Amino acid sequence: MKKGSSPLRSLTVGLVTLLVLIVLAYGFSVTKINFAETRSERRVASLTRILRALAHPKLFDYDYQEVDVQVPFYLGCLEGGVEQPDVDRSGAFILTSVPCAEPGETITVEGYNFQENSSGPINFIGFSAEAPNGVPLQIGNFQADAQGDFQVEVTIPRRQVKEEPQAIRATGRVRVGAPAFSQESKITWDKIVETVFMALLATTFGTLLSIPISFFAARNLMSDIKIPLSTISLSLIGWPLGMWLGIEANRLLAILSSPLFNSFLATLAGTIIVPIFGFTFVRWFLSIQDEDKETKLKDRLINLLYTLIAAVLVLASLLFLGQLLIQIGTYLTPNEEVPLYFLRNFIYQIGDIISMLVPVTAALVGGGIFGGLFGNFGQTISDKISPATGKVINLIITPIAGASIAVLILQGVNWFYQFNNPAIALYWPAGIGAAIGLALAILASPKQPLPIGIVIYGIIRTIMNGTRSVEALVMAIVFVAWVGLGPFAGSLALGLHTVAALSKLYSEQVESILEGPLEAIQATGANRLQTIVFAVVPQIVPPYISFTMYRWDINVRMSTIIGFVGGGGIGFILQQNINLLNYRAASVNMLAIAVVVASMDYISSAIRERFV
């Protein structure tokens, strides 16, 4: 007996085959596959009607001369028969091969004296008490010859037999004048432009946020970041404190500056003077830093003071600039009918964005300043203080840092779940965080560097994975509730999804760069920022461009989907036309989508060929 042909092997193959068939059979049952439906006369007729409508997109409108002619017709022949009706033959008229027929029978309709080469539909008109004017159902089309005559076979619809006469109507149409773009084409043009720019803005802002995030989400850049526990603990204490101080400083600065914002000239003067003074001060401060590198406590405090002054001047500059743009935009944008209104509105919106970002910037700047300051003290503790003393200090500051971070995290959770219980939202997290910090301080050596970089990497990748797992369609629903129906909600949803997707692609590209240039740059004594600028960036520019263009292509296609939930773009009008069974208009929408997607593919290919 040959190897592999044993009864056991044959039995195994048979059982596996049987299992596959059972799985397929269950799949047929779950998905309710029924090919008999594909042969249903009613469904085939509906499919035919839809496909024919989709094949005739309503791109143009024409002016027509129309002639309606109808003849009485009985659905079901009466006892004793039905006589052919008399028709007026002085103009266009139609005749049926029989004056009556049963539902489903085929008859011949003849037309005479129509305008030469005219065409149009043949409808069966059903009259009832509910519809005294008749309900038309198209049963055929005709094309008249050069003499204005035609002969067409049609099938009588399957309707209830009635004793009252119904009618068969032929509508002859002849185009007059030049074609014009239909209303559906004009709406589609507006919406497809809205879709492209919605995707463009989402891609632009998503890319700007994804680039810095990608460096923190790259394992090869973060794995070698290791700092002592004292530096980590004091930084974690300094960041929340600095963010709170930054927000309070911004609030105070806004209160002090608000009287100046009542005057346009004062706002303009502040927008010019404050940045100039701030730039001069920063240059002077940097020159002092270069010349004098004292590390005494007094010098550090003076440097801190200068840094805070520079930060306040930067915030004041942003505050004045935002208010100036808002005032200019308010003056220029009262009338939407004015030419180039979109430029005026853009000025106002940019000012509004800057004003919204000033508190965020203040918090980040404050957190960076005090987090860095406290971190430097922590580094000094690790470098210059004995291990025993450093251990004691860590036993004090690390529980404080753990409690602070745990409370902040639980406060965020409390915002979602509303515990309204101080024990859950404050005391328990503070105690657990302090206990974890104490355990870490006991276990870790005061001078041992800890892999904080890989922790940051893990946190960022987890957040990005969670964000990317939520479809843009769901994000659009949330943003529609926040900002209302329209393309703004769609742009926000696409932008957030773009950040999550591009951060992953960018970071993986950073992880695949060559290590040689990094080692060469680091051998010259370059710091981390210089290493990224001169060793990492040159290697990632081409793939970043390729990924960005690809993402724009994806966003254009996704824009058509999020429009289904009110996220703007052509998807909204496409869904509306489908729901209204207006398939010719829907065909125009789908044709525009296909053209744009194909064009985007060509443009992105050309750009990749040029730069990548």
Side-chain angles (χ1 to χ4, degrees):
M1 183 177 291
K2 294 182 179 180
K3 184 179 179 181
S5 60
S6 65
L8 180 60
R9 181 179 178 84
S10 300
L11 179 62
T12 302
V13 172
L15 290 176
V16 170
T17 304
L18 179 61
L19 179 61
V20 171
L21 291 176
I22 292 174
V23 171
L24 289 176
Y26 185 71
F28 270 56
S29 175
V30 170
T31 54
K32 299 180 180 179
I33 293 178
N34 184 4
F35 282 95
E37 289 291 336
T38 64
R39 300 187 296 274
S40 168
E41 182 179 345
R42 178 176 60 87
R43 296 193 182 278
V44 170
S46 298
L47 176 63
T48 302
R49 176 173 56 85
I50 293 173
L51 292 178
R52 287 175 177 172
L54 292 176
H56 293 80
K58 193 177 180 182
L59 296 172
F60 302 100
D61 278 336
Y62 299 89
D63 290 331
Y64 288 94
Q65 287 182 346
E66 290 191 356
V67 175
D68 281 337
V69 179
Q70 70 180 40
V71 62
F73 189 85
Y74 284 86
L75 187 60
C77 295
L78 303 176
E79 294 182 4
V82 178
E83 297 183 358
Q84 283 281 6
D86 293 330
V87 296
D88 182 4
R89 305 192 178 202
S90 60
F93 66 94
I94 60 173
L95 298 174
T96 56
S97 57
V98 291
C100 63
E102 298 298 322
E105 289 188 14
T106 300
I107 66 170
T108 300
V109 178
E110 298 178 351
Y112 301 94
N113 297 340
F114 281 78
Q115 194 166 353
E116 61 180 29
N117 299 320
S118 61
S119 61
I122 298 177
N123 293 316
F124 179 86
I125 311 298
F127 298 99
S128 63
E130 295 78 12
N133 295 325
V135 177
L137 175 65
Q138 186 171 341
I139 57 177
N141 292 282
F142 74 87
Q143 175 68 53
D145 56 23
Q147 287 73 41
D149 303 337
F150 68 85
Q151 182 175 325
V152 178
E153 287 188 350
V154 297
T155 300
I156 301 302
R158 298 182 182 278
R159 289 187 174 179
Q160 183 179 0
V161 174
K162 294 186 177 182
E163 296 183 357
E164 298 81 8
Q166 311 300 299
I168 292 179
R169 178 186 299 164
T171 302
R173 297 171 180 168
V174 177
R175 294 177 182 174
V176 294
F181 283 107
S182 64
Q183 186 66 23
E184 289 80 2
S185 296
K186 296 176 182 177
I187 295 175
T188 298
W189 170 257
D190 291 339
K191 289 299 180 180
I192 202 66
V193 170
E194 180 181 288
T195 298
V196 171
F197 280 96
M198 184 170 70
L200 174 63
L201 292 179
T203 306
T204 300
F205 290 109
T207 301
L208 293 176
L209 292 174
S210 300
I211 290 175
I213 293 175
S214 65
F215 296 120
F216 291 98
R219 179 184 288 271
N220 58 337
L221 296 182
M222 301 297 292
S223 59
D224 60 343
I225 299 179
K226 298 178 180 180
I227 56 179
L229 180 60
S230 57
T231 304
I232 298 173
S233 300
L234 286 176
S235 295
L236 291 177
I237 295 173
W239 264 95
L241 176 62
M243 293 178 71
W244 177 76
L245 291 175
I247 294 173
E248 290 300 312
N250 174 75
R251 186 178 63 83
L252 180 61
L253 185 62
I255 293 174
L256 295 176
S257 305
S258 58
L260 298 176
F261 298 150
N262 296 326
S263 170
F264 175 78
L265 293 178
T267 306
L268 178 62
T271 306
I272 297 173
I273 294 173
V274 175
I276 293 176
F277 181 70
F279 178 74
T280 305
F281 180 82
V282 170
R283 286 194 61 184
W284 172 79
F285 176 51
L286 293 177
S287 66
I288 294 296
Q289 290 291 99
D290 291 338
E291 296 173 2
D292 185 14
K293 295 186 178 180
E294 293 289 339
T295 57
K296 296 179 181 179
L297 178 60
K298 177 182 176 181
D299 298 313
R300 289 188 176 184
L301 293 177
I302 292 175
N303 289 340
L304 175 62
L305 178 61
Y306 288 161
T307 303
L308 292 176
I309 294 174
V312 170
L313 290 174
V314 170
L315 293 176
S317 300
L318 293 175
L319 198 60
F320 274 100
L321 177 62
Q323 288 296 323
L324 178 67
L325 294 178
I326 288 176
Q327 291 182 18
I328 294 175
T330 302
Y331 174 75
L332 293 176
T333 56
N335 187 2
E336 295 186 11
E337 303 299 327
V338 175
L340 300 180
Y341 169 81
F342 66 93
L343 291 176
R344 304 177 178 199
N345 184 61
F346 176 72
I347 294 174
Y348 178 88
Q349 295 300 332
I350 291 297
D352 197 21
I353 291 173
I354 293 174
S355 298
M356 289 176 58
L357 292 179
V358 170
V360 178
T361 305
L364 293 177
V365 169
I369 291 174
F370 282 89
L373 176 66
F374 282 34
N376 288 335
F377 281 120
Q379 191 66 43
T380 301
I381 292 173
S382 176
D383 293 341
K384 298 183 178 181
I385 296 179
S386 65
T389 306
K391 189 79 168 180
V392 174
I393 294 175
N394 284 347
L395 290 173
I396 297 174
I397 61 175
T398 306
I400 296 175
S404 301
I405 297 302
V407 168
L408 289 176
I409 293 174
L410 259 294
Q411 288 298 316
V413 175
N414 183 51
W415 185 86
F416 285 101
Y417 295 100
Q418 297 181 336
F419 300 125
N420 297 322
N421 187 341
I424 298 177
L426 183 62
Y427 304 136
W428 275 105
I432 294 173
I436 294 174
L438 182 61
L440 188 60
I442 293 173
L443 296 175
S445 172
K447 293 185 178 293
Q448 176 188 358
L450 301 179
I452 185 65
I454 203 68
V455 174
I456 297 174
Y457 160 82
I459 293 173
I460 292 178
R461 290 299 288 250
T462 301
I463 294 174
M464 291 299 101
N465 290 337
T467 305
R468 193 170 57 255
S469 66
V470 180
E471 277 296 325
L473 187 68
V474 179
M475 294 180 182
I477 295 174
V478 175
F479 285 120
V480 163
W482 184 23
V483 300
L485 296 172
F488 184 28
S491 296
L492 292 174
L494 287 176
L496 182 58
H497 203 270
T498 297
V499 171
L502 285 184
S503 296
K504 172 182 171 60
L505 295 176
Y506 288 168
S507 62
E508 290 178 350
Q509 188 60 43
V510 173
E511 291 176 348
S512 64
I513 62 175
L514 299 175
E515 294 294 331
L518 268 70
E519 295 174 356
I521 294 295
Q522 290 171 350
T524 64
N527 58 29
R528 179 163 296 274
L529 180 60
Q530 292 169 332
T531 301
I532 292 175
V533 171
F534 295 106
V536 177
V537 172
Q539 298 188 63
I540 62 176
V541 169
Y544 271 36
I545 294 175
S546 178
F547 289 145
T548 302
M549 292 304 303
Y550 179 59
R551 187 63 203 184
W552 187 15
D553 185 293
I554 292 175
N555 283 343
V556 169
R557 286 181 275 119
M558 290 180 66
S559 299
T560 64
I561 303 301
I562 65 175
F564 279 36
V565 294
I570 199 170
F572 181 76
I573 197 70
L574 174 61
Q575 183 201 34
Q576 190 178 56
N577 286 328
I578 291 175
N579 289 341
L580 295 175
L581 306 182
N582 190 1
Y583 293 109
R584 292 192 65 193
S587 180
V588 177
N589 305 148
M590 291 186 285
L591 179 62
I593 294 170
V595 170
V596 168
V597 170
S599 302
M600 285 295 304
D601 181 68
Y602 173 77
I603 294 171
S604 61
S605 298
I607 292 178
R608 286 196 300 270
E609 183 179 356
R610 173 68 177 83
F611 293 103
V612 178

